[in-house]
Amino acid sequence: MPVVSFRLNGTGITVDYDDGMHLLEVLRESCGITTVKDGCAPEGVCGCCTVLLDGRPALSCLLAPSQVDGRTVTTLEGLPEAQRRVLGRAFVQQGAVQCGFCTPGVVTRSAHLLEKGLTNDRKRVERALAGHLCRCTGWTRMVDAIQAAGESRAPRSADSAGHCGIGAPSTRYRGLEHALGDKPYVADLRVEGMLHAAVVLSAHPRATVLRLDTASAEGMPGVVRVFTADHIPGQRHVGLIVPDWPIMVAVGETTRCVGDVLAVVVADQQYRARRAALEVVVEYRVLEPVTDPAAALDENAPSIHDGGNLLERCFYARGDVESALAGSAHVVEQRFTTQRIEHAFLEPEACLAVPSNDGLTVYSQGQGVHDDQRQIASVLAMNPDAVLVELVTNGGAFGGKEDLSIQAHAALAARLCEQPVRLVLTRTQSIRMHPKRHPLSLHYTVGADADGRLTAARVRIMGDTGAYASVGTKVLERAAGHCCGPYRVPNVDVDSSTVYTNNPPCGAMRGFGVPQTAFAIEGILDTIAERVGIDGYDIRDRNILEPGDYFTTGQRMDESCGIRQTLEAVRDRYKGARHAGIACGIKNTGIGNGMADIGRVLVRVLSGERLEIRTGYTEMGQGLHTILRQVVAHETGLDPETMDVITVSDPSVECGMTTASRATALGSVAARIAAEKLAAALEDHHLEQLESREFHGEYICDFTVAPGSDAPDPVTHLTFGYATQVVLLDDDGLIERVVAAHDVGCAINPLLCTGQIEGSVHMGLGYALSEDFPCSAGVPHSLRLADLGILSAASTPPVDVILIEVPDRVGGYGSKGVGEIGMVPTAAAVAGALHAFDGVRRTSLPMTDSPAARGLVPKSRRT
Ligand code: FES
């Protein structure tokens, strides 16, 4: 076994390692250094594994251990404490930490910039971050933080003491730990006797598995067991809505996508488990995949699942569309297409399962601890009560961690090995396995009167949901319901279809079908404006939803509808610009559509006058845990520093999935109710007298109705978020600035709220111009992060966020969803700006042919 000697954080060490390991693996697995994160190893693109090698930044996943022999390696743990404090506090105070997975790498590079005195020049800082990816923040605050640290503007404390109530820019809960890499993610957890698992994935999107030979893998060093479908004791199929997704495909069955799991290898080390997984021999009979959703509906197309390839259709109809179109002064018919994209959360999926006498504890990074619990229990044929799922705050999700990924595989291995098992996906496996954003084909026919007032819309939508249902039917429901945007359309006829193919599965992703339809309806509106002879502002001004108007689903808008306020807030920025695009957006908060939306929070008084706040909703960088502390502090007057927040599958806090921008709006209602009970108890008792007491808060919204309901006044969603964005181009056609006016109802925490919008716009710009995940014959062209087209710091324009607060009736303190709406209008506003610049109407995403996309599309994807 080879050996390497080097100085690590000031101490000389000698470590042995397996041939083929890179330095990151040696640091994490052999040296116990966890501030270096594995976001894409060994691709060297995300920057999460940055170290200082002889004082200069280097990516440890690109280094062979032998390359550091005799040299000095410094990780974030080894930086001078004063420097760590200055940087960490600056990042927290500037709101530059969201999920935090990228942050330790960025902070390590920042330490070098600080050391060299290179933080004054903003452009230079942005260029220095070229080797990093951040999917959450939109970069501005990161650069602000680095510059603040350089100017010694970093505060003495990371916490905003005294700023803890509703409306205060309270800093992130455990923010300093995140910034300095001290907050563990699942892949950082280690327990006594822990084994490691790795998955074997299908090589083909559609192939019958003829034979699985695990003998060679079982003979590899360190291998403990290899599991296949035959080892599953309970239900083999899982799914949030339709249980169609096999935990493992069995011999004799046919695969449906290249993310299907065929076997799980368990070994004493992660590296060995992954290496042995490559030795599992699979014999296939390869079949032609079904990859075109329209062709998949042909009666002669092979069925991917029993029951055919049409998963679901969703309809909305109101009025008489045919007559209204016939009587319209203007009729625009247009097809739009949007692309499949990858979430690219920086933390790949990971799970640690720890067996005990009476059950199993699972440490998950998923978006729904209770859904994880239910599905794991069904796979293992266990009582759900015997499976405790605890969330480990994850490194980003954006909807991509709603489905079960590898939690059941880790749990199965732990249960059958009777030892703790940790399973961490590599980046390429992560990209193969989890659902993407749906590519949609959208066919619109829209009428307007001579003044540009909309009269009717006929809309046909087809969504490729790939191999498994995931939440695809709900995505297409949202696409259908939001297809006319925040506009008054008296006659609608909408039909959307969700179709199975052998492409990678598609499911939830920020915006949930609505960024796609916004791109279409906003493009239609711009075309009508052109025909009428008015500008983009005036056409929207004439059609925008007002309280009392009907949304596409038939829901009547109430006084909380703040879309007009967002439109008027950007009027002068749009009207006064040379090359500008404008687009509006609406996005439901909460699932609605006939399903209950629930908020539950439990506040428990612990010894030492501390509080524990429990919820079922997930913290994934959006700041939910910070918000819940703020609410309890606001209502009780207690110090938030005495409060801890956890997400756990306790039945008393079951909330369902963290989805549809509902966690803050509903969680804050429940937290307020619980905190009010505690506050009442504190009127008669000191806190220490309440030790062990629990205060429960619950809010259940059960008044929404399903699409197509014939209820006389249907309420399909408990509330909505609203936005208008303006994109400004310079004289070269490059994006100069984005103005984003958002009605958030109540900015419970303006710092976090603004950060969510900035990050969403960053994602929306990539969606508009450069991001794509193309596949041919069901196989992705590339599994590399570098090929996705995510915007770098240097290519991200400034975003001016304008927060507008039109209070909601349901959301806590009047709040509405923020996380998804941020990117809903962005691509459409970019398209409008591009048309203003070069006169080309673009109907397909991403708009890689445009001047604004110059330099953004990865070389590998340029034709
Ligand atoms: Fe940068 Fe989440 S904070 S990836």
Side-chain angles (χ1 to χ4, degrees), residues 502-717:
N502 290 117
N503 289 319
C506 290
M509 186 171 181
R510 189 177 234 165
F512 212 82
V514 183
Q516 295 95 315
T517 54
F519 177 62
I521 186 64
E522 298 293 322
I524 293 274
L525 232 63
D526 284 341
T527 301
I528 293 173
E530 199 175 12
R531 293 195 187 173
V532 174
I534 57 179
D535 69 15
Y537 182 90
D538 290 340
I539 187 81
R540 288 166 176 82
D541 181 52
R542 288 175 195 187
N543 287 289
I544 208 85
L545 286 170
E546 307 280 1
D549 286 337
Y550 289 95
F551 183 52
T552 302
T553 64
Q555 178 164 346
R556 191 195 289 258
M557 309 312 288
D558 63 26
E559 293 302 319
S560 70
C561 174
I563 186 64
R564 172 162 293 285
Q565 288 86 335
T566 68
L567 180 67
E568 291 176 352
V570 301
R571 182 184 186 282
D572 294 345
R573 301 294 292 273
Y574 173 76
K575 293 257 184 193
R578 192 145 164 240
H579 312 300
I582 185 169
C584 297
I586 180 170
K587 177 68 183 64
N588 61 293
T589 301
I591 299 173
N593 276 359
M595 296 176 74
D597 282 294
I598 303 169
R600 288 194 177 110
V601 164
L602 185 80
V603 178
R604 177 180 287 168
V605 182
L606 306 179
S607 64
E609 300 191 29
R610 290 197 67 82
L611 297 183
E612 181 183 79
I613 304 168
R614 293 186 155 221
T615 183
Y617 280 135
T618 297
E619 170 61 64
M620 49 189 173
Q622 85 278 41
L624 175 73
H625 286 183
T626 312
I627 297 286
L628 296 184
R629 275 205 333 172
Q630 269 184 268
V631 170
V632 176
H634 181 81
E635 297 297 339
T636 62
L638 297 172
D639 181 358
E641 293 305 313
T642 65
M643 304 172 194
D644 291 313
V645 192
I646 63 167
T647 296
V648 67
S649 63
D650 178 339
S652 67
V653 291
E654 174 149 17
C655 301
M657 191 62 63
T658 301
T659 189
S661 295
R662 66 180 183 167
T664 291
L666 296 176
S668 60
V669 179
R672 178 178 52 73
I673 294 169
E676 283 173 348
K677 291 177 184 172
L678 171 58
L682 285 169
E683 286 179 10
D684 302 319
H685 302 84
H686 292 296
L687 187 58
E688 66 265 27
Q689 294 173 302
L690 299 174
E691 187 176 322
S692 303
R693 287 272 304 275
E694 293 181 342
F695 301 88
H696 195 232
E698 175 181 272
Y699 174 78
I700 300 176
C701 166
D702 56 2
F703 53 72
T704 66
V705 299
S709 160
D710 54 9
D713 213 353
V715 175
T716 50
H717 296 291

Side-chain angles (χ1 to χ4, degrees), residues 98-100 102-103 134-137 142 346:
Q98 288 195 23
C99 83
C102 71
T103 323
C134 174
R135 198 57 162 159
C136 299
T137 65
M142 288 248 190
L346 264 277

Side-chain angles (χ1 to χ4, degrees), residues 156-410:
R156 294 175 64 79
S157 161
D159 299 306
S160 38
H163 299 291
C164 58
I166 300 305
S170 186
T171 53
R172 178 166 294 275
Y173 170 56
R174 301 185 74 177
L176 195 59
E177 288 173 76
H178 271 111
L180 296 178
D182 296 333
K183 173 84 177 61
Y185 297 85
V186 175
D188 301 330
L189 301 177
R190 282 180 171 272
V191 294
E192 187 72 24
M194 186 173 81
L195 299 171
H196 300 263
V199 290
V200 178
L201 301 181
S202 172
H204 305 283
R206 184 164 175 259
T208 302
V209 179
L210 301 177
R211 190 172 70 91
L212 260 173
D213 184 349
T214 60
S216 314
E218 280 161 340
M220 295 285 285
V223 172
V224 177
R225 296 280 298 273
V226 179
F227 298 112
T228 64
D230 293 343
H231 292 96
I232 296 173
Q235 299 292 324
R236 197 153 51 83
H237 292 77
V238 296
L240 291 172
I241 297 167
V242 181
D244 62 355
W245 200 327
I247 289 297
M248 282 189 264
V249 175
V251 172
E253 293 182 340
T254 298
T255 64
R256 297 186 178 90
C257 68
V258 293
D260 278 335
V261 180
L262 304 180
V264 175
V265 177
V266 183
D268 60 347
Q269 292 180 24
Q270 179 174 287
Y271 178 76
R272 290 176 172 177
R274 288 177 176 177
R275 196 171 54 173
L278 301 174
E279 299 301 316
V280 172
V281 177
V282 188
E283 202 177 301
Y284 301 93
R285 181 170 61 245
V286 177
L287 304 168
E288 177 140 5
V290 180
T291 56
D292 177 66
L297 296 180
D298 189 287
E299 60 183 353
N300 296 318
S303 273
I304 294 163
H305 292 272
D306 292 344
N309 296 332
L310 177 62
L311 178 57
E312 191 172 276
R313 281 176 77 183
C314 174
F315 305 93
Y316 288 104
R318 232 170 347 102
D320 182 348
V321 168
E322 293 310 316
S323 302
L325 287 175
S328 295
H330 304 282
V331 175
V332 174
E333 183 174 359
Q334 187 70 59
R335 283 183 187 277
F336 297 83
T337 56
T338 66
Q339 78 280 39
R340 177 187 299 103
I341 66 165
E342 155 68 25
H343 301 74
F345 38 75
L346 264 277
E347 177 209 24
E349 294 87 337
C351 181
L352 168 64
V354 182
S356 59
N357 288 342
D358 49 359
L360 200 61
T361 301
V362 177
Y363 298 92
S364 172
Q365 38 66 72
Q367 282 180 245
V369 285
H370 292 92
D371 288 282
D372 288 359
Q373 177 191 44
R374 174 179 57 79
Q375 294 179 94
I376 292 167
S378 80
V379 169
L380 299 182
M382 291 173 69
N383 185 327
D385 293 343
V387 179
L388 177 72
V389 180
E390 186 171 329
L391 173 84
V392 178
T393 297
N394 72 37
F398 314 111
K401 292 177 177 172
E402 289 192 8
D403 297 272
L404 208 63
S405 54
I406 38 70
Q407 292 94 330
H409 304 89

